Amino acid sequence: MNWDASDTAPDAGPERLVGAAADREDQAVEAALRPKDLNEFIGQERVRQQLDLVLKAARQRGATADHVLLSGAPGLGKTTLSMIIAAEMGVPIRITSGPAIQHAGDLAAILSSLQEGEVLFLDEIHRMSRPAEEMLYMAMEDFRVDVVVGKGPGATAIPLELPPFTLVGATTRAGLLPPPLRDRFGFTAHMEFYGPAELERVIHRSAGLLDVSVAVEGAAEIAGRSRGTPRIANRLLRRVRDYAQVRADGVITQEIAAKALEVYEVDERGLDRLDRAVLHALLNLFGGGPVGLSTLAVAVGEERETVEEVAEPFLVREGLLARTPRGRIATPAAWAHLGLTPPQGGGAGGPGQTGLFGP
Ligand SMILES: Nc1ncnc2c1ncn2[C@@H]1O[C@H](COP(=O)(O)OP(=O)(O)OP(=O)(O)O)[C@@H](O)[C@H]1O
């Protein structure tokens, strides 16, 4: 499944090269590409420094590290960081996810089998069921859970002591976490999108591990199309490597990277076919808007949800499209990106178009 910043968004086709969620090939190769310690982890300077302090202090005290909440879009390194936390603390890690824990009993079984100091990585923590979430409050605070035995009036709660552990929760939607859960994390880190220079370093590092030869300009070309996301950078690197191997001498130059990504329809700003179709429709059919989401979706032959949740977040982030109460409008940057001239006296958001298509 490939989509941006939302785990409930619809799929935009299996071959979405710039989707931020991990596909099967990513899962197979990512283990080999993950940085193993904080020094190897590229970018996110502030998070790295803060986490370094939290972990060093815990180690000096001989204590278990505080619970850590990592928030940020898919593919920015939350799973990687959780593994680094365990490695830096010299403890094992157990990995599970919110949707996998539907019953409080599932969580009790995991918690009661943890070793002392172990890291429990709970991905998509905002998607846990409510009873499990409530059990987690007590487990995080008191290292204890109440296991309910029996049903109805005869049900009894048996307290169960847990070994101290470190919960690392990851979420793409920190705002969806109930405050009592959020408050129980000793350290919260928000992961930002990566800058081009950081992505270039990710690409050079991965190229080294994959034994691929990449020129400085080649890495820059891939970085610019990676939508601020290391996972996408690594994926584009693999596709460009294929092209360089089949069509050239294996070396990734700027020209090879640009040609390869043209074949895969990822443009110089990281937009793919769907993103550009939305922009084209908005500019060419609706004069830059405002246009209602449903109309826009019909124009590009996609579901409304696909346009809203798969294409739009990145277009908005890039400042190419704006969501307004009157509908979607294109920004001047969108016209420039597609090499088009905005219509005179109106265009995007022009007064004459109000109400034409309704939001
Ligand atoms: N800071 C970084 N330096 C180097 N590589 C990184 C960095 N962050 C992420 N990566 C690489 O990007 C890939 C995706 O990272 P990871 O699986 O940790 O992301 P995630 O935020 O957990 O994604 P999801 O939310 O989908 O689980 C991994 O292969 C990892 O090696």
Side-chain angles (χ1 to χ4, degrees):
M1 293 180 287
N2 293 321
W3 56 68
D4 268 348
S6 163
D7 42 45
T8 50
D11 202 336
E15 74 289 357
R16 192 160 198 247
L17 201 56
V18 290
D23 62 23
R24 208 166 295 161
E25 187 189 337
D26 294 329
Q27 285 165 3
V29 298
E30 277 185 355
L33 298 180
R34 283 185 203 286
K36 301 280 184 287
D37 60 38
L38 274 181
N39 285 330
E40 256 190 87
F41 193 79
I42 292 161
Q44 310 287 346
E45 284 313 321
R46 196 151 7 145
V47 170
R48 248 163 21 100
Q49 277 179 18
Q50 292 170 345
L51 201 52
D52 187 45
L53 281 174
V54 168
L55 301 180
K56 274 199 179 118
R59 277 204 307 268
Q60 279 174 12
R61 290 194 299 268
T64 303
D66 252 346
H67 303 304
V68 176
L69 179 65
L70 303 173
S71 76
L76 297 187
K78 298 184 294 298
T79 308
T80 305
L81 218 41
S82 74
M83 291 177 172
I84 289 176
I85 291 171
E88 297 267 347
M89 294 303 291
V91 295
I93 180 167
R94 185 87 55 95
I95 296 181
T96 185
S97 72
I101 299 176
Q102 279 316 309
H103 306 287
D106 301 337
L107 183 63
I110 294 172
L111 291 171
S112 59
S113 64
L114 291 176
Q115 295 178 36
E116 182 157 347
E118 190 161 354
V119 167
L120 173 63
F121 178 59
L122 235 171
D123 204 2
E124 300 186 66
I125 192 169
H126 59 279
R127 293 181 64 194
M128 219 173 13
S129 72
R130 180 49 66 95
E133 198 175 275
E134 277 166 12
M135 175 179 272
L136 194 59
Y137 295 163
M138 197 195 279
M140 290 172 77
E141 198 147 291
D142 302 329
F143 299 113
R144 191 167 65 86
V145 289
D146 280 340
V147 179
V148 179
V149 180
K151 279 193 175 141
T156 40
I158 302 175
L160 186 67
E161 296 291 325
L162 303 172
F165 65 96
T166 299
L167 178 71
V168 180
T171 180
T172 50
R173 313 261 187 103
L176 289 187
L177 285 193
L181 181 55
R182 231 180 310 161
D183 294 348
R184 282 172 168 80
F185 287 96
F187 173 64
T188 299
H190 180 70
M191 320 246 325
E192 304 286 348
F193 286 100
Y194 291 66
E198 291 163 343
L199 289 173
E200 281 178 46
R201 285 169 59 201
V202 170
I203 291 163
H204 282 297
R205 179 179 172 277
S206 300
L209 292 169
L210 295 171
D211 205 14
V212 177
S213 178
V214 59
V216 172
E217 300 79 16
E221 189 64 41
I222 299 172
R225 300 178 189 226
S226 300
R227 300 162 76 112
T229 307
R231 171 174 292 137
I232 299 177
N234 283 337
R235 195 185 298 141
L236 296 186
L237 171 67
R238 295 197 301 274
R239 292 293 73 82
V240 174
R241 171 196 59 184
D242 295 347
Y243 184 96
Q245 179 192 317
V246 174
R247 299 273 165 86
D249 60 357
V251 179
I252 299 177
T253 60
Q254 187 269 330
E255 191 192 351
I256 290 290
K259 279 186 175 163
L261 293 172
E262 200 178 307
V263 170
Y264 287 105
E265 299 186 287
V266 178
D267 75 15
E268 61 281 4
R269 205 161 171 165
L271 274 64
D272 73 351
R273 186 197 50 78
L274 174 67
D275 302 319
R276 280 195 307 276
V278 170
L279 280 192
H280 265 295
L282 185 54
L283 302 186
N284 290 326
L285 300 180
F286 306 110
V291 59
L293 175 62
S294 305
T295 308
L296 194 55
V298 170
V300 294
E302 292 286 353
E303 294 297 320
R304 185 187 151 98
E305 290 75 18
T306 304
V307 172
E308 185 174 28
E309 295 169 35
V310 179
E312 278 189 357
F314 182 64
L315 295 176
V316 171
R317 212 178 94 209
E318 284 289 292
L320 296 169
L321 178 146
R323 293 166 167 165
T324 76
R326 291 186 299 147
R328 273 50 178 174
I329 59 170
T331 65
W335 292 95
H337 185 64
L338 292 194
L340 299 170
T341 314
Q344 294 294 311
Q353 306 204 20
T354 309
L356 241 190
F357 302 105

